[in-house]
Amino acid sequence: MKKKLVTVTASVLVLSSVLSACGSGNKENNASPSASPAASPSASASPSEAASPAPVERFDVSLRHIQIGELQKFRKAILDEVVQKAEAEVPGANFEMDAVEDSFNRWTKLPAEMAAGNPPKIFDLFGGPGDGQKFARANKLLDLTPILDELGIKDKFTDFSTFIVDEKVYGLPIGASAEGWFYNKEILDANGIAAPQTLEELEAAFETLKGKGVTPIAMGSQAAWVPFMLLNTLIPRYAGDDIQAGVANGSRKMTEPEVVAALAKYKEWVDKGYFTKGELGIDYTGQTNEFVAGKAGFLFDGTWRVSTFNADGVGGALNGKVGYFAMPAVPGGKGDPTSVNYNQNNGYGFSADVNDNEKAAVKAFIKNLYTEEYQVRGFQEDGVLPSMKVDASKLTSDNSLMQQVLAINAAAGKVFPHFDSLVPGTVNGEFEKQIQNLIAGKATPEKAAEEIQKAMDAELAALK
Amino acid sequence: MNKTLRNPYVYLLFVLPTLGLYGLFFVYPVLQSVFYGLTNWDGLTPAKYTGLDNFVKAFNDEDFWISVKNNMYFILFSLFVQVPLIILFSLLISGVKRLQGFYKTTVFLPSILSTSIIGILWGFMYHPSIGLFNNFLGWFGLEPIYWLSDTKWAMLSILVTNAWQWMGFYIVLVLAAILAIPKEINEAAEIDGATGFQRAYRITTPLIMPVISVVVMLSIAGAMRVVDIVLVMTNGGPAGATEVMASYMVNKALRYGQYGYGTALSIMIFVIALLLTAIYQIVFARRQERIEY
Amino acid sequence: MPKVIKKILPHLVLLVYVFVILFPFVFVVFSSLKESNDQIVNAPFGFPVQMAFDNYADAWSQAKISKYFFNSAYLAVGSAVSSILIAAATAYALARMRIVKVSKAIYQFILLGMLIPGNVLFIAQYILIQKLGLLDTHWALYLPYTAGALPFSVLLIVAFMKAIPSEMEEAAIVDGLGVIRSFILIILPLTMPALVTVFIINLLGNWNEYLLANFFISKDALKTLPTGMVGFRDAFQTSYPLVFTGVVISVAPIIVIYAFLQRTIIEGLTAGSVKG
């Protein structure tokens, strides 16, 4: 755990130097749209394996991804390019793309395929005990260590600890992200609200917006991982930055008064009507759409959302009108108010069941996707923070929103992970259920905390 | 002649495909379910025998019983809302001469659409801002209702959509039975001075009881296995308010890898279905001609 | 009650019901012709002004609806035909052939299958399909659809065939007709109404099926309409008009087919239900 924090902090530090570099001279450059993303076919991508002239048999390589719809178009474009390159390098390879919605893939389809023994050859995968580590222990995932050694990129990643079992690597994070508050400057200005610095100001802003008939916080909690993001940051603010790790290893409890206080704060916001009405029937895209449509003042979301507000993104209308800040300190909270949630828990995993041809295709996929070029492009186009060590000089952004994100990450004294990268799947499921119960008024904060702790205790007991 | 009809080879030829498929897709999975239901199989590691643990757990699983209750809503809604409406509309359609074909064709229309498309269609009907219902409420200056995201309304919304989809199908069945009643019976009653309502209540309805019994049976069977409409419209939400037995079972097994528990639940569902069928036979079907060999 | 009211009242009630049925369709068609979400949000029930027919071209090219439609159509028809043929043959053996004791046992055995709510066996069937190596092929749907329809079909057709008087068949057999030909030439035509009914019910069931299709098929090229359309909705939910257009495109052919066949379909159901 400690080691992970060090590497993550290191990557944040790298980013901070980037930021200071671009903070100085970039103001004038803003006018010229220099970031033309498509025109960067870097020379480094020359195919190393010579294509054999002999006729080769075509073979399919199934590839499950979650880049569905307009909102993910930048990342889908990168994926398409990588696939093309990999197909060119491996004679006969035909990547068969299968797009599946994120939570359906993560919670239903992939687990079912794992149990049935027919996962795709390449698939979107989360790390942690509920996902990647569980599958790795059941020998369902391809051990990537030899491939990484061969490609010489093993030490290029800043942190893939949630994908490691017994010192072997079973998955590669595609990027990193932090989570924080986005706000609509126009709406705040129109209502005479300055960007909030403290919890008091934040709550005052909610109250003002609500009074004016504007939804304070865009929220779509049909899938519980969405409201979970906000709680995942609120809880450490109250209970300390080690709460996730503590709950996962049994040294801390969900029922501690600080955790309950965080849940109570969330419930208070629900009861005061600060979130989108009918949030339990709105999905993640619906939440994004509401904010993009200028109907809500705030949005708590991951930094991957930054690209949505690019001029050519879905939320292009809000280009330049969105700000970002970290969750403020809470009164009496144990958490470091500068610390941020920081994840690199999502990426790709590969089926253990691959033949030589497919293995070659997998290798080509990894080789082409996990490059500095795409890490930088993902950062520039899509606001995805790098999961690999990247030349700091390339991580500049003339996007003011991205600069804010980088500044906040750079200022972070500590980082904390997501519960779902540390606790077993059943506990995460109970957590999600209780969050929705809290929102629906079916559970009190105390009761919700109790139920989650009960699930955790059961898992801990089973380990012994 | 008897010899011809006792040809064992032809008999086997005719019976074996059914028995083969039935054995493979019904009998084997049932046995498999019983076997896994007694284990803690997680889909990834070898199964361990745990006896009746899963069943004890199921009896104490509050969420499972909530899903059972939701299936019961489907049954109750069918019996007390759909069936009376089905009879009413069937009687009305059978009574008109003009446009009868048009009505018959139109009411059946929703039944040919796939459930997922109906889910999408009705998702927009219930849409908080652009949906039909909230616009309607708006005309009266009423506050919008969050049909699919309010725990109080979500179940009812799904029930209404489900009724919209299937009522026409049953109406066509009942209508056929009504139209098959010899005209003389009704004519005689009319001469005796019976009003339209009296004729419908005292003559037609009793005569179509067998087909209504079929409708009730099909409704119960449909309510027991309902899942598609829920998955498409709410995915069991908000906060589990519309979870049905089948979706709960699938979720337990697939998401949490509790295959042992999931299959134990499937056996529970089977038992509940058996109980309902028994109750139905005792209460309703005793008076009717049962489908018997 | 005046006679006029008596005549009009049923129509009034029925027209309200017809309106309730048709309204969603009209709403969808209108919305599919609008240019933006705003137009739909601002006047959900307004007539489209500009008639954005481009939506149709977009949806057609982006959604692969034709492919989903074709997959659904041939799977639904294929397995409905298979199950009706298999069920009819079995029903004939059980109802008409004189191996009574065995038939009775088989009948009771199959009757048990009727009591199992569909979906209950989902998990076990999933494991089975996986063991057979059929996941991600159309066999993964074709076989369960065909098998799933059998208990109901056999029972209904047996009831029907039992009701056919035996004289005709007996006379034919005395004249030297074999049992298979007697089945095909005499009993099958007489059972046609029931077969049509069962066929339609099975066809609708297969056409609508979502749960198995969702889990047994991953490849986009093999997806059926129900899962394909849900995917389409998820992918294009930022653009309501496009989603509506997709719905119209996927529904229209069915309605056209239904318009042509409605007499057969409804008469089939009608005949079946009255006798059954």
Side-chain angles (χ1 to χ4, degrees):
Chain A
M1 196 57 232
K2 264 227 172 90
K3 199 177 147 210
K4 184 188 164 194
L5 279 179
V6 171
T7 47
V8 169
T9 329
S11 77
V12 172
L13 284 177
V14 170
L15 291 178
S16 77
S17 63
V18 169
L19 177 81
S20 52
C22 69
S24 53
N26 237 6
K27 294 245 158 62
E28 267 72 30
N29 288 347
N30 266 354
S32 70
S34 60
S36 61
S40 59
S42 89
S44 71
S46 65
S48 56
E49 284 133 289
S52 60
V56 279
E57 216 169 299
R58 254 170 70 99
F59 62 97
D60 289 341
V61 184
S62 41
L63 164 56
R64 164 82 42 77
H65 66 91
I66 57 173
Q67 315 308 345
I68 297 182
E70 269 296 278
L71 286 169
Q72 316 291 344
K73 62 181 178 182
F74 298 111
R75 263 192 275 188
K76 177 68 169 33
I78 290 181
L79 192 62
D80 284 339
E81 257 188 58
V82 167
V83 162
Q84 259 182 13
K85 286 184 185 173
E87 282 179 350
E89 278 177 29
V90 182
N94 172 45
F95 286 82
E96 195 143 331
M97 309 263 263
D98 173 29
V100 172
E101 192 272 323
D102 180 9
S103 39
F104 181 59
N105 175 59
R106 179 179 184 187
W107 299 126
T108 316
K109 190 122 191 178
L110 192 63
E113 288 166 337
M114 285 293 172
N118 71 323
K121 300 304 171 196
I122 304 174
F123 44 86
D124 187 275
L125 179 71
F126 282 78
D131 300 84
Q133 289 170 351
K134 183 171 82 182
F135 302 140
R137 287 204 173 89
N139 300 319
K140 302 285 181 183
L141 300 182
L142 183 66
D143 174 11
L144 303 174
T145 325
I147 295 181
L148 295 182
D149 286 338
E150 194 187 323
L151 294 174
I153 56 172
K154 193 176 179 186
D155 51 2
K156 290 277 168 73
F157 288 88
T158 49
D159 174 31
F160 40 42
S161 56
T162 57
F163 291 99
I164 289 181
V165 172
D166 297 337
E167 292 173 15
K168 288 178 185 158
V169 184
Y170 290 95
L172 299 172
I174 187 65
S177 59
E179 286 160 13
W181 288 106
F182 292 83
Y183 64 96
N184 183 323
K185 289 180 190 166
E186 270 187 341
I187 293 182
L188 263 60
D189 286 347
N191 293 288
I193 304 167
Q197 308 281 328
T198 64
L199 189 72
E200 227 174 17
E201 287 172 19
L202 184 63
E203 290 185 310
F206 294 160
E207 197 57 44
T208 311
L209 290 178
K210 198 190 153 220
K212 297 272 174 71
V214 178
T215 303
I217 311 167
M219 179 57 77
S221 43
Q222 189 180 56
W225 66 268
V226 182
F228 203 162
M229 287 194 282
L230 177 46
L231 265 170
N232 191 66
T233 294
L234 207 49
I235 291 174
R237 282 289 186 271
Y238 278 92
D241 301 319
D242 59 343
I243 184 69
Q244 275 95 349
V247 168
N249 68 26
S251 64
R252 305 275 313 260
K253 295 256 181 285
M254 283 300 295
T255 44
E256 290 169 19
E258 290 83 7
V259 179
V260 175
L263 294 170
K265 176 55 79 181
Y266 192 88
K267 174 104 177 79
E268 183 193 326
W269 289 352
V270 170
D271 291 343
K272 285 187 172 166
Y274 290 163
F275 297 104
T276 307
K277 276 189 187 150
E279 56 171 306
L280 284 166
I282 298 172
D283 63 9
Y284 182 56
T285 311
Q287 162 184 313
T288 311
N289 286 342
E290 188 183 19
F291 187 78
V292 163
K295 288 181 181 152
F298 294 87
L299 170 74
F300 193 90
D301 208 338
T303 50
W304 59 81
R305 196 79 291 148
V306 167
S307 67
T308 307
F309 310 110
N310 288 355
D312 55 350
V314 171
L318 287 183
N319 186 236
K321 295 170 189 163
V322 176
Y324 179 86
F325 60 94
M327 175 77 79
V330 298
K334 287 183 181 169
D336 176 348
T338 65
S339 68
V340 293
N341 158 262
Y342 201 81
N343 298 295
Q344 19 198 353
N345 198 32
N346 179 230
Y348 287 95
F350 306 86
S351 170
D353 174 28
V354 285
N355 59 32
D356 288 347
N357 273 339
E358 289 159 349
K359 208 165 179 175
V362 163
K363 207 186 294 173
F365 179 81
I366 293 176
K367 181 186 146 212
N368 284 297
L369 179 60
Y370 292 95
T371 61
E372 188 172 276
E373 178 200 352
Y374 285 119
Q375 289 283 308
V376 171
R377 235 180 93 182
F379 170 79
Q380 293 288 0
E381 285 176 18
D382 205 20
V384 177
L385 305 173
S387 57
M388 298 172 77
K389 292 167 194 156
V390 169
D391 181 1
S393 65
K394 289 182 180 159
L395 290 180
T396 55
S397 177
D398 50 14
N399 176 333
S400 66
L401 182 56
M402 197 67 208
Q403 288 168 9
Q404 280 177 308
V405 169
L406 293 174
I408 284 158
N409 287 353
K414 278 186 195 146
V415 297
F416 53 87
H418 251 292
F419 276 103
D420 73 352
S421 67
L422 297 179
V423 301
T426 48
V427 179
N428 192 54
E430 187 64 33
F431 218 131
E432 293 196 340
K433 181 180 141 198
Q434 293 304 331
I435 290 173
Q436 288 185 328
N437 281 348
L438 201 63
I439 295 169
K442 281 164 54 174
T444 60
E446 293 78 14
K447 170 91 176 146
E450 237 168 69
E451 293 292 329
I452 299 164
Q453 189 57 44
K454 218 193 276 171
M456 189 68 227
D457 288 343
E459 287 291 335
L460 288 170
L463 275 179
K464 281 170 197 165
Chain B
M1 189 205 76
N2 270 346
K3 217 170 112 198
T4 316
L5 285 177
R6 281 199 185 117
N7 184 334
Y9 301 107
V10 174
Y11 190 85
L12 278 181
L13 176 74
F14 279 8
V15 168
L16 276 186
T18 297
L19 289 184
L21 282 169
Y22 182 71
L24 194 59
F25 285 94
F26 282 88
V27 181
Y28 178 71
V30 167
L31 298 178
Q32 191 85 328
S33 296
V34 173
F35 171 73
Y36 283 127
L38 299 173
T39 70
N40 66 349
W41 190 45
D42 64 358
L44 295 172
T45 49
K48 214 172 71 194
Y49 176 78
T50 53
L52 293 175
D53 283 7
N54 286 329
F55 294 93
V56 174
K57 188 175 159 194
F59 270 104
N60 297 314
D61 185 343
E62 227 174 277
D63 293 331
F64 174 64
W65 292 104
I66 289 175
S67 73
V68 173
K69 190 183 76 188
N70 284 337
N71 279 84
M72 296 307 134
Y73 283 138
F74 274 93
I75 293 179
L76 294 178
F77 197 81
S78 308
L79 292 186
F80 296 104
V81 180
Q82 274 172 254
V83 169
L85 282 177
I86 287 165
I87 298 172
L88 171 72
F89 287 128
S90 307
L91 286 172
L92 286 179
I93 295 177
S94 73
V96 300
K97 289 196 181 65
R98 274 160 187 272
L99 293 176
Q100 195 181 68
F102 168 72
Y103 292 137
K104 230 198 279 189
T105 311
T106 317
V107 298
F108 193 69
L109 195 57
S111 308
I112 62 170
L113 301 185
S114 64
T115 305
S116 67
I117 291 196
I118 288 176
I120 297 170
L121 205 71
W122 279 76
F124 282 105
M125 294 288 110
Y126 290 127
H127 195 285
S129 53
I130 69 170
L132 166 76
F133 294 99
N134 280 350
N135 269 280
F136 191 70
L137 292 178
W139 292 344
F140 298 97
L142 295 171
E143 282 292 302
I145 291 175
Y146 292 85
W147 298 99
L148 293 175
S149 38
D150 189 326
T151 45
K152 290 196 290 292
W153 293 101
M155 198 64 219
L156 182 69
S157 305
I158 290 184
L159 291 173
V160 167
T161 306
N162 193 54
W164 182 87
Q165 180 179 10
W166 290 112
M167 267 175 59
F169 179 82
Y170 295 126
I171 288 176
V172 168
L173 289 185
V174 176
L175 193 54
I178 296 178
L179 294 176
I181 296 171
K183 284 205 175 55
E184 295 78 27
I185 300 182
N186 261 312
E187 281 167 7
E190 201 169 358
I191 291 167
D192 289 346
T195 64
F197 177 77
Q198 282 174 326
R199 269 178 290 142
Y201 187 72
R202 294 190 182 271
I203 298 172
T204 314
T205 312
L207 281 173
I208 57 170
M209 273 328 257
V211 78
I212 291 175
S213 158
V214 170
V215 168
V216 169
M217 205 179 73
L218 287 176
S219 299
I220 293 179
M224 286 302 290
R225 65 159 177 265
V226 64
V227 64
D228 295 3
I229 191 84
V230 172
L231 288 183
V232 178
M233 292 192 76
T234 60
N235 203 10
T242 59
E243 197 85 80
V244 288
M245 296 187 297
S247 61
Y248 185 73
M249 167 194 94
V250 169
N251 199 21
K252 276 284 168 208
L254 299 189
R255 168 161 183 181
Y256 298 113
Q258 298 175 352
Y259 285 84
Y261 186 52
T263 45
L265 287 181
S266 70
I267 295 163
M268 297 278 295
I269 298 173
F270 182 33
V271 170
I272 293 170
L274 277 182
L275 282 177
L276 281 178
T277 315
I279 294 172
Y280 166 80
Q281 292 283 347
I282 292 163
V283 175
F284 199 84
R286 180 161 280 179
R287 288 173 283 147
Q288 312 298 333
E289 209 184 327
R290 270 190 268 171
I291 304 176
E292 247 179 68
Y293 183 76
Chain C
M1 229 181 340
K3 249 206 159 136
V4 190
I5 296 183
K6 224 166 147 184
K7 269 207 153 155
I8 290 179
L9 193 66
H11 282 288
L12 280 180
V13 177
L14 287 171
L15 284 174
V16 169
Y17 183 41
V18 166
F19 177 78
V20 168
I21 287 170
L22 293 182
F23 186 83
F25 292 93
V26 176
F27 174 64
V28 165
V29 172
F30 278 11
S31 301
S32 75
L33 290 168
K34 291 179 180 173
E35 278 187 330
S36 63
N37 287 5
D38 286 349
Q39 282 184 19
I40 297 176
V41 172
N42 293 335
F45 308 111
F47 200 76
V49 197
Q50 291 94 351
M51 295 286 176
F53 287 110
D54 316 352
N55 290 343
Y56 282 80
D58 288 354
W60 184 260
S61 60
Q62 293 187 36
K64 302 172 200 146
I65 290 171
S66 53
K67 202 191 295 169
Y68 302 145
F69 193 89
F70 176 73
N71 287 342
S72 266
Y74 97 83
L75 271 175
V77 173
S79 43
V81 167
S82 310
S83 41
I84 204 85
L85 289 179
I86 296 173
T90 304
Y92 178 80
L94 298 185
R96 311 291 300 185
M97 290 180 74
R98 311 268 164 92
I99 305 183
V100 180
K101 269 195 183 153
V102 181
S103 291
K104 231 175 192 163
I106 293 177
Y107 183 90
Q108 295 296 340
F109 183 51
I110 295 177
L111 187 69
L112 278 176
M114 271 291 280
L115 300 176
I116 304 174
N119 300 332
V120 159
L121 300 176
F122 171 79
I123 300 166
Q125 286 184 352
Y126 183 75
I127 299 164
L128 173 69
I129 291 285
Q130 180 265 326
K131 280 186 181 153
L132 295 173
L134 297 177
L135 279 178
D136 239 349
T137 68
H138 274 159
W139 290 107
L141 299 182
Y142 174 82
L143 290 175
Y145 287 177
T146 304
L150 284 178
F152 168 74
S153 310
V154 170
L155 297 190
L156 213 95
I157 301 172
V158 162
F160 226 82
M161 285 185 176
K162 288 211 140 233
I164 298 172
S166 52
E167 289 80 13
M168 257 170 78
E169 192 187 16
E170 278 169 13
I173 286 173
V174 168
D175 285 351
L177 204 63
V179 61
I180 293 184
R181 286 173 64 191
S182 137
F183 163 61
I184 294 173
L185 296 176
I186 297 178
I187 302 296
L188 267 194
L190 286 172
T191 331
M192 209 35 99
L195 296 186
V196 173
T197 310
V198 173
F199 177 78
I200 292 164
I201 292 175
N202 294 344
L203 187 75
L204 286 176
N206 299 342
W207 175 260
N208 283 323
E209 205 285 324
Y210 178 77
L211 190 70
L212 303 192
N214 203 6
F215 285 99
F216 292 4
I217 300 290
S218 290
K219 282 186 189 158
D220 199 43
L222 297 180
K223 277 182 184 159
T224 57
L225 200 55
T227 48
M229 281 308 297
V230 169
F232 181 72
R233 175 192 66 180
D234 291 344
F236 293 95
Q237 58 184 197
T238 42
S239 165
Y240 297 152
L242 214 56
V243 175
F244 283 120
T245 311
V247 170
V248 174
I249 295 178
S250 64
V251 166
I254 281 299
I255 293 186
V256 171
I257 294 168
Y258 173 63
F260 277 109
L261 293 182
Q262 51 100 355
R263 196 163 285 265
T264 324
I265 293 174
I266 290 180
E267 297 307 314
L269 274 183
T270 305
S273 71
V274 173
K275 290 203 183 162

